[in-house]
Amino acid sequence: MDDYTPQLPDDDDNLYEHYAFTVDKGQSPLRIDKYLMNFVENATRNKIQAAAKNGSIVVNGTPVKSNYKVKPNDHIRVLFTHPPHENLLVGENIPIDVVYEDDQLLVVNKPSGMVVHPGHGNYSGTLINALIYRFDNLPNNSSERPGLVHRIDKDTSGLLVIAKTEKAMNDLSLQFAEKTSEREYVALVWGNVEANEGTVEGNIGRHPKNRLQNTVFLGDEAEKGKPAITHFKVLERLGYVTLLSCKLETGRTHQIRVHMKHIGHTLFNDERYGGEKILKGTTFTKYKQFVENCFKVLPRQALHAKTLGFKHPKTGIFMQFDTPIPDDMQQCIEKWRSYAKHQDLEEET
């Protein structure tokens, strides 16, 4: 055991904050290297321990070693002498599917697998890299991300509106904040959703044990999350899965994924939330093989941002855009459609 005590560099002005966390009130004592592994995607314990040894992990203003045990309300900062990679934006000549464009904005159809903005582990190949290659002087949003009015997850496909001017950024951001924009997603979820339509309400916040997930907080714990409302409608019942239309009233991270899991209908093949397991159906080997084939056809969560509507920031005219369900998701739906028909025939005979 060495007696090394980490020190901050003399010139604190040259340090850049890469991560900042405030520990939850209910957190039990846990070594900070283990704790940060739940916070930082793609981080290894060795890298976290090396950062602590360099004096880069600071708790309540003081550098700590990797065996420091976090306590409720601790404020943790991870500092380095170089700026975060996401602040070093580089334009890249990446093709983007532009659905509409004028002098104020553009609407793009993002493919699954494309990250919207650079972040830990994804510093190139993002939509932002493609946008800054194509456009000069895109306005920054409140998080200093050029052009972005809203975002969708890496493995979710579908429509996004991008602001090209400060006026468009302010106007569109206000529409999203005041819930006057319209966003409809198509989702394939596990299980037979009994109600033909309904609304899920539940505050969404970080999962206390798995920081890469979000969860719903209700009752006395509601303050741990932010208000979130999702309206859903059944489009088609396909046996052990259901095709839904989901309309967002709010826009929380992973909102549809979290709300659907909360009501017992996790998105099909949503690995982060447990949907990559067979959650409904039979124990027959043939059925297991069928589901595995569906997973191969659609190697991501079954979620597509299908329609997007908003008032144009310059003309005030309401604009609505629609995009077809992409091939991978459509093929998966077709497989379930055939399976459900086959099951219906078996039950009739």
Side-chain angles (χ1 to χ4, degrees), residues 281-294:
T282 72
T283 56
F284 297 130
T285 304
K286 194 174 177 184
Y287 173 73
K288 184 182 177 186
Q289 187 58 57
F290 163 76
V291 176
E292 292 294 338
N293 287 339
C294 288

Side-chain angles (χ1 to χ4, degrees), residues 17-22 39 75-78:
E17 181 176 280
H18 283 234
Y19 302 98
F21 309 110
T22 299
F39 270 81
H75 183 59
I76 302 169
R77 299 170 72 211
V78 182

Side-chain angles (χ1 to χ4, degrees), residues 19-27 35-36 39 58-60 70-77 206 208 211:
Y19 302 98
F21 309 110
T22 299
V23 179
D24 289 338
K25 292 176 187 173
Q27 176 67 47
Y35 180 81
L36 286 175
F39 270 81
V58 178
V59 179
N60 305 325
V70 299
K71 301 184 296 296
N73 298 317
D74 272 352
H75 183 59
I76 302 169
R77 299 170 72 211
R206 289 280 190 188
R211 304 298 295 190

Side-chain angles (χ1 to χ4, degrees), residues 174-192:
L174 192 63
Q175 289 185 54
F176 277 77
E178 293 183 343
K179 307 170 189 172
T180 57
S181 62
E182 291 184 5
R183 285 168 289 170
E184 181 198 9
Y185 291 69
V186 174
L188 188 69
V189 302
W190 278 109
N192 180 27

Side-chain angles (χ1 to χ4, degrees), residues 301-349:
Q301 70 259 13
L303 188 61
H304 175 64
K306 191 173 191 309
T307 64
L308 177 64
F310 51 84
K311 278 187 180 177
H312 192 281
K314 196 171 183 179
T315 66
I317 295 170
F318 189 81
M319 306 178 77
Q320 190 167 50
F321 301 92
D322 185 88
T323 184
I325 296 170
D327 286 346
D328 59 352
M329 192 166 164
Q330 192 62 52
Q331 284 180 45
C332 183
I333 292 166
E334 291 293 346
K335 279 183 171 293
W336 277 105
R337 197 171 279 148
S338 298
Y339 184 86
K341 274 184 191 170
H342 180 68
Q343 290 298 102
D344 290 342
L345 287 171
E346 282 192 350
E347 286 170 11
E348 286 171 12
T349 55

Side-chain angles (χ1 to χ4, degrees), residues 7-181:
Q7 296 291 324
L8 281 173
D10 294 334
D11 187 1
D12 200 10
D13 291 338
N14 287 338
L15 292 175
Y16 296 88
E17 181 176 280
H18 283 234
Y19 302 98
F21 309 110
T22 299
V23 179
D24 289 338
K25 292 176 187 173
Q27 176 67 47
S28 55
L30 183 67
R31 281 178 59 118
I32 198 164
D33 51 359
K34 287 186 178 179
Y35 180 81
L36 286 175
M37 280 184 71
N38 290 328
F39 270 81
V40 181
E41 197 165 2
N42 300 328
T44 64
R45 199 162 169 193
N46 282 345
K47 284 182 180 176
I48 291 168
Q49 288 173 343
K53 194 168 185 179
N54 290 336
S56 296
I57 298 176
V58 178
V59 179
N60 305 325
T62 304
V64 298
K65 292 195 238 181
S66 56
N67 64 355
Y68 173 85
K69 290 195 173 173
V70 299
K71 301 184 296 296
N73 298 317
D74 272 352
H75 183 59
I76 302 169
R77 299 170 72 211
V78 182
L79 307 168
F80 291 109
T81 53
H82 61 88
H85 289 282
E86 54 263 45
N87 292 352
L88 303 171
L89 294 175
V90 177
E92 295 179 56
N93 188 8
I94 303 164
I96 49 177
D97 180 4
V98 178
V99 175
Y100 172 84
E101 183 178 354
D102 62 26
D103 63 337
Q104 294 291 311
L105 58 89
L106 69 151
V107 175
V108 301
N109 183 18
K110 185 190 83 68
S112 66
M114 176 183 262
V115 176
V116 171
H117 57 76
H120 187 78
N122 296 287
Y123 301 118
S124 65
T126 75
L127 179 61
I128 291 286
N129 295 114
L131 289 171
I132 61 173
Y133 177 86
R134 182 167 176 161
F135 303 105
D136 292 326
N137 304 316
L138 286 172
N140 282 339
N141 65 12
S142 58
S143 302
E144 300 296 312
R145 285 168 178 154
L148 278 197
V149 177
H150 61 128
R151 58 177 289 277
I152 56 179
D153 298 329
K154 173 187 174 184
D155 289 327
T156 299
S157 53
L159 295 171
L160 285 165
V161 60
I162 307 297
K164 292 169 74 173
T165 67
E166 290 287 350
K167 175 179 169 51
M169 176 64 77
N170 295 335
D171 191 286
L172 290 166
S173 297
L174 192 63
Q175 289 185 54
F176 277 77
E178 293 183 343
K179 307 170 189 172
T180 57
S181 62

